[in-house]
Amino acid sequence: MTNINKKILIPFALFPALAFADGIQENPEQDIIEVEEIQLAEVPPSKTFVTGRLQYNISDIALRSGTSFGSDSVAIPDGKTVGWLDARLGAQTYQPIDHDLTAFGIMEFDISSNEAMVGMDNKKNELMPRYVFAGIDSKEYGKVSVGRVGSGLLELVNLTDFFAFNGGGETIASRASMIDKSASGVTRQDNTIEYGHKIGGLTFSTGYIMDSGVFSDTGVDKGFNGAASYNFTLSELSHLKPVVAFQKTYAADRADNDADSYTFWGVGAEYYYADFGASFIYSEDKLDGTLQDTGTNKGLETMVRWTGFDKLDLRAGYFMQKNDVYGDKMINDIVLDAHYFLSPKMRLIGEYSFRNANEFVGNGGHYYATSENKQEDFFYLAFRLNF
């Protein structure tokens, strides 16, 4: 805030009329009146900064689709411990227009080398966009974002998104990409226009997913989504937050995936008291118009968390996904997870996942159980540096 002294020039002839005004004193030796320091508000400065994460991972994991990273990737040898680099790099800029209106742009990319397996993705040697969007933020009237946005449905996914490897949407909207090739669940999708706002304890959003047109081939004709949560402050130490979310997308060309539309919905809640936290999510997704009935996927994610130890964050969770046509559980994991903070932005991570689900293989992007062979338990270790 800058204080600017202003002087208002007033003809000496007007002094008799003005001398009675409060706070203004006649000075016969001057022909001006000085009005004390009128403050003119200044627009806040713009800001731009870089964000990122560097992580090295070690695990003996075998993926749910077998022992390889997709059809065009490097296989993981059975019984072998492997390591890989996982990095992210992004930038954010905020340009105030006035006191209540700010333009912003946010982008973040996964980075991989030829040897790396970023987030267990089968893509290599390329930048893979996580978020790329821009918009306008009005404190009073909400925020509009356009692009590959950070979806408001993250309000649901984030209830369990504390685990290093499992969790945070593993069972949620797992088939969204069968309609939208750009989709990472319902948290990141191209060509999205989203409006979000927070009023008191209520946070809500609604989004429209546009036809990809001639500029990209996402396979979407149109789509809609929405989410809402409410934070109940129960005491100085505790809060309860329920969340609901929904999405419907329609295919631009059914011939690409034999599906006309995709429907997802989910409900969840979190409760925190001091250093203890607990959360759960139940969700369903369904493909409509398929040549064969691929059924409804039903998912459950739960978490308990304890942060009462110095520098140590402990989590445990159960994750289940079941298809009502195929019957077998595709995911049936118990996960133990610990993060030890060397500094606020540097940590060591250890996780062990107990798996008790049938192996399943892909069919046009849809995974389902096929045998009684049980998936193997795995350990996961990582060093993470945020900046």
Side-chain angles (χ1 to χ4, degrees):
M1 186 77 72
T2 300
N3 294 332
I4 302 176
N5 291 326
K6 283 267 186 174
K7 290 187 176 180
I8 300 178
L9 302 179
I10 302 176
F12 185 80
L14 297 180
F15 264 43
L18 296 174
F20 297 98
D22 291 341
I24 300 179
Q25 300 296 325
E26 181 178 345
N27 186 341
E29 297 181 358
Q30 293 180 244
D31 62 353
I32 64 172
I33 293 176
E34 188 169 296
V35 180
E36 298 290 338
E37 293 187 345
I38 299 176
Q39 292 186 341
L40 298 182
E42 189 177 80
V43 174
S46 61
K47 56 182 178 179
T48 300
F49 52 92
V50 173
T51 62
R53 189 179 91 178
L54 184 64
Q55 182 166 313
Y56 190 78
N57 313 272
I58 299 172
S59 180
D60 65 341
I61 188 172
L63 294 192
R64 298 195 185 282
S65 57
T67 57
S68 66
F69 288 92
S71 59
D72 105 9
S73 58
V74 181
I76 300 178
D78 288 329
K80 280 275 199 172
T81 297
V82 296
W84 71 98
L85 184 67
D86 176 350
R88 298 174 185 174
L89 183 64
Q92 301 183 22
T93 184
Y94 298 87
Q95 306 292 330
I97 299 170
D98 59 29
H99 290 286
D100 298 319
L101 202 62
T102 300
F104 62 87
I106 296 173
M107 60 180 179
E108 183 180 74
F109 293 85
D110 281 322
I111 305 174
S112 70
S113 66
N114 191 52
E115 296 82 14
M117 296 174 279
V118 173
M120 292 299 186
D121 199 302
N122 63 0
K123 296 180 180 179
K124 300 173 296 182
N125 241 1
E126 60 181 280
L127 291 175
M128 291 167 284
R130 291 173 57 81
Y131 302 106
V132 183
F133 63 97
I136 299 290
D137 187 0
S138 167
K139 295 179 181 177
E140 184 177 359
Y141 299 108
K143 178 170 61 176
V144 175
S145 304
V146 181
R148 186 173 177 83
V149 308
S151 169
L153 277 66
L154 281 165
E155 282 286 312
L156 182 71
V157 175
N158 285 345
L159 295 178
T160 57
D161 194 19
F162 293 94
F163 295 89
F165 198 91
N166 291 71
E170 186 174 15
T171 76
I172 298 171
S174 58
R175 297 183 292 180
S177 61
M178 287 195 69
I179 295 291
D180 185 350
K181 298 173 185 177
S182 76
S184 176
V186 286
T187 62
R188 304 189 297 273
Q189 293 173 269
D190 290 350
N191 309 320
T192 301
I193 301 176
E194 181 175 271
Y195 169 76
H197 198 18
K198 184 174 182 178
I199 305 173
L202 175 65
T203 300
F204 64 92
S205 69
T206 182
Y208 174 66
I209 303 165
M210 295 178 286
D211 190 330
S212 57
V214 297
F215 300 102
S216 62
D217 181 21
T218 61
V220 175
D221 176 42
K222 60 185 176 182
F224 309 89
N225 65 32
S229 67
Y230 195 93
N231 192 74
F232 294 94
T233 301
L234 306 179
S235 70
E236 292 184 358
L237 297 177
S238 64
H239 80 265
L240 173 67
K241 184 173 78 170
V243 183
V244 296
F246 170 83
Q247 177 163 302
K248 182 86 170 184
T249 48
Y250 297 88
D253 185 358
R254 178 176 177 178
D256 285 345
N257 50 32
D258 298 327
D260 289 330
S261 65
Y262 173 78
T263 305
F264 160 81
W265 67 268
V267 295
E270 70 176 15
Y271 171 76
Y272 275 82
Y273 180 83
D275 296 319
F276 171 78
S279 60
F280 83 93
I281 303 170
Y282 176 80
S283 64
E284 293 188 2
D285 72 345
K286 182 174 177 57
L287 289 162
D288 295 311
T290 53
L291 295 181
Q292 59 179 352
D293 186 2
T294 54
T296 299
N297 278 357
K298 300 178 180 181
L300 178 68
E301 298 193 4
T302 67
M303 182 198 70
V304 292
R305 185 181 185 190
W306 177 257
T307 58
F309 299 114
D310 185 35
K311 298 183 179 180
L312 188 61
D313 190 347
L314 301 176
R315 306 94 182 260
Y318 172 67
F319 302 87
M320 183 274 292
Q321 186 179 60
K322 186 175 182 178
N323 184 279
D324 64 357
V325 170
Y326 297 103
D328 294 323
K329 291 179 179 177
M330 299 178 288
I331 298 174
N332 191 30
D333 292 359
I334 296 173
V335 181
L336 303 178
D337 182 279
H339 292 228
Y340 181 76
F341 288 83
L342 302 170
S343 75
K345 293 189 175 183
M346 185 186 304
R347 71 183 79 175
L348 298 174
I349 302 167
E351 183 175 293
Y352 199 89
S353 182
F354 299 90
R355 292 188 159 180
N356 189 33
N358 293 332
E359 296 287 355
F360 60 105
V361 298
N363 178 13
H366 170 55
Y367 293 94
Y368 56 91
T370 58
S371 73
E372 293 301 320
N373 298 322
K374 300 299 181 183
Q375 295 170 358
E376 296 180 359
D377 301 344
F378 73 91
F379 74 87
Y380 173 84
L381 302 174
F383 169 78
R384 178 183 299 178
L385 175 63
N386 293 87
F387 59 89

